[in-house]
Amino acid sequence: MKESRQRAILRILGRRKVHNQEELLKYLEKEGIKATQATISRDLAQMKIVKMHNPEDDTAFFSVPSDSLQVVPDIIHSVSGIVSIDFSGSLCVVKTSPGYANMIGAVIDTKCGELVMGTVAGDDTLLVILKQNVTSDDFKIHLMEKIPGAESKFV
């Protein structure tokens, strides 16, 4: 239950700016997850989720540092959330379920950092930019090692 709740928290925070725990609880309830504010507070602390200040409108919102993804064990232990993976030269486009691109991008940055210059995520599309001299075949092999079942998503 804890792991699925924490995954839902990451998914929610990857989709929208959430300003307080009460708001987060409402989004979790919409996903069918019931929790107390104390539980959410512990989850946020364990996951190292921090509040960021937006000076433009003087608001604060929760932010997920990339190292927080390591707190939730095997957040992507399969191709869950990935629709397809396609390549064009040193670019890789990962199509995802809505709301998953940011989270999957952070996981790829963490697990595949030695092959990747960076990732750019939208809502359901992730652009992975490979380092110079890294081929799409190199990256495919690496993804298959890090994300079981990834080979079924290659276009």
Side-chain angles (χ1 to χ4, degrees), residues 70-143:
Q70 296 172 356
V71 174
V72 182
D74 298 320
I75 192 161
I76 294 188
H77 53 13
S78 69
V79 292
S80 165
I82 298 175
V83 175
S84 67
I85 304 170
D86 201 1
F87 292 87
S88 178
S90 64
L91 302 176
C92 173
V93 175
V94 180
K95 294 286 189 176
T96 71
S97 299
Y100 279 75
N102 189 37
M103 180 177 61
I104 291 170
V107 170
I108 287 175
D109 284 336
T110 301
K111 291 187 173 190
C112 306
E114 65 273 12
L115 302 178
V116 173
M117 285 184 63
T119 58
V120 180
D123 182 53
D124 63 357
T125 304
L126 171 69
L127 174 64
V128 181
I129 304 163
L130 304 179
K131 287 186 177 178
Q132 191 170 7
N133 300 324
V134 174
T135 67
S136 58
D137 287 338
D138 295 336
F139 191 62
K140 283 179 184 180
I141 291 167
H142 195 77
L143 277 181

Side-chain angles (χ1 to χ4, degrees), residues 17 53-59:
K17 288 185 180 177
H53 181 258
N54 183 355
E56 293 175 11
D57 61 4
D58 201 34
T59 61

